Amino acid sequence: MGFLTRILLKFLQRRGVPSAVEVAVSLAGAYTAYLCTEYYVGGSGVIAVVVYGIHGAATFLYGFSSKGMRQGTFFKFWDVISVVTNGMVFFFVGASIMNFLISTTAELFRGGGAAALLLTLKALPGVIAAMFLLRLLLMLIEGPLLSLVGPFLTWREILFSALGGLRGGLALILVQTVVAAHGNTHDPQLKVVHAEMALWVSAVVLFTLTVAAPALGPLMSCLGLNNATPAQRHMHRRACAALTRFTWQSIADLKADDDEMLRGVDWTAVRTGKAVADSY
C-alpha cells in the first residue's frame, strides 16, 4: 500500500494538485491498508497501518511534494487528527471504566458479598505496585539487550520508561474481550474472577491517567532527563560562537558596502544592539 501511495502521489503531483489532495491520499491509504489486511488477508489491520506509517517515515512521507512540506499541510492535518483521536479515546476509556466499575461491583456483591468486594479493593495498591515493579524488572533485564541495537539506556531512562508506560484503551479492550468470551458462564466463582480482573484493570488504567501521567513532568525533572547533556551544551556553545562570528562578519561587510541604501546607518547602535543580543 505504501508503494501504491507513492506512485499515486507522483501521478497527482505531475498534474499540479493541491497539497490537501496529497493528505487525503495518505489518509485513504491508511484506511485501505487496514481494511484489506483485516477483511481480505485475515491479518491485523492495526499492524498494517503501523507498517504503512513506518514506510511513510522511511520514504520521506511517501514522496510528499516540497510545496506541501513548506505549507506544513501534512503535519497540521495529522496533528488535528491526533488531538481528536486522543480526545475520543480518553472519553471512551472513561466511559468503559465507569461501566466496568458498576458491573464488577454488582458481580462481586452477588458472588462473594461485601467481604469479597472489600478484599478486592484492598488488593488494588498491591496490584498497581506489582504492575510497575514487574515492568521495571523486565526493562532492567532487556536494557543490555536493547543497547546492542541502539544507545545504552541509563538507570534513569529505564526508571522513567517503567513508570511512564501508561495503560489505556488497549488494556480495557483486552479484558472486555476476555469477559465477553466467557460471559455465558454459570460458574459463580469464575464470575467473581472476571469481576476482579475487570476491576483491577480499570483501577490500573485510572491510576495511570490520573496519577502517573501528571507526574511524568516532575519525574523527568527530578531524574534530570530534561537537562542538556555535556555534548549538547558543547554543540550549543559552538553553534552560538559560529553564529556570532557570522553576524559580526556580515555587519562588517555591510559597513564596507558602498550601497547608498546603507549611507547614514548608525553602526555604533547596530554593534551595541548586537552586543546586547549576545549577552542573552
Side-chain angles (χ1 to χ4, degrees), residues 244 247 270-280:
T244 299
T247 304
V270 173
R271 296 178 65 89
T272 303
K274 178 63 180 67
V276 172
D278 289 341
S279 65
Y280 291 99

Side-chain angles (χ1 to χ4, degrees), residues 48-275:
V49 174
V50 172
V51 174
Y52 178 77
I54 293 175
H55 178 79
T59 57
F60 199 65
L61 302 180
Y62 314 103
F64 208 71
S65 64
S66 57
K67 177 183 177 182
M69 295 299 294
R70 288 195 303 269
Q71 294 176 347
T73 309
F74 186 89
F75 297 105
K76 291 177 181 177
F77 172 80
W78 284 107
D79 285 343
V80 172
I81 293 296
S82 176
V83 171
V84 173
T85 304
N86 285 331
M88 294 176 61
V89 167
F90 277 108
F91 172 78
F92 286 111
V93 164
S96 298
I97 288 177
M98 294 304 300
N99 181 40
F100 276 156
L101 290 177
I102 294 172
S103 60
T104 54
T105 301
E107 195 63 50
L108 285 173
F109 269 117
R110 288 196 299 266
L117 176 61
L118 185 60
L119 182 62
T120 304
L121 294 177
K122 286 183 178 180
L124 285 180
V127 172
I128 295 173
M131 290 287 295
F132 283 99
L133 290 176
L134 179 62
R135 181 180 176 87
L136 176 61
L137 177 62
L138 292 177
M139 294 201 65
L140 288 174
I141 296 174
E142 295 173 357
L145 299 177
L146 295 176
S147 63
L148 298 177
V149 295
F152 178 77
L153 296 178
T154 64
W155 69 268
R156 292 183 177 87
E157 294 170 335
I158 293 177
L159 179 60
F160 180 80
S161 300
L163 297 178
L166 303 181
R167 288 88 180 164
L170 181 59
L172 292 174
I173 291 173
L174 291 175
V175 71
Q176 192 170 14
T177 302
V178 173
V179 173
H182 303 85
N184 297 325
T185 181
H186 299 287
D187 186 356
Q189 186 61 33
L190 186 58
K191 289 185 177 181
V192 172
V193 172
H194 288 168
E196 291 177 342
M197 183 191 309
L199 185 60
W200 287 339
V201 171
S202 301
V204 171
V205 172
L206 192 60
F207 177 82
T208 56
L209 293 178
T210 58
V211 179
L216 291 181
L219 177 63
M220 181 178 290
S221 301
C222 182
L223 295 175
L225 295 178
N226 54 355
N227 298 332
T229 63
Q232 291 173 333
R233 289 195 294 269
H234 178 67
M235 292 176 61
H236 182 265
R237 286 194 296 268
R238 291 187 59 183
C240 289
L243 182 60
T244 299
R245 290 194 302 269
F246 174 78
T247 304
W248 285 119
Q249 184 61 43
S250 299
I251 292 175
D253 294 341
L254 290 173
K255 187 177 180 181
D257 196 342
D258 293 332
D259 193 341
E260 62 180 8
M261 297 294 294
L262 298 175
R263 295 174 184 175
V265 174
D266 188 353
W267 294 108
T268 302
V270 173
R271 296 178 65 89
T272 303
K274 178 63 180 67

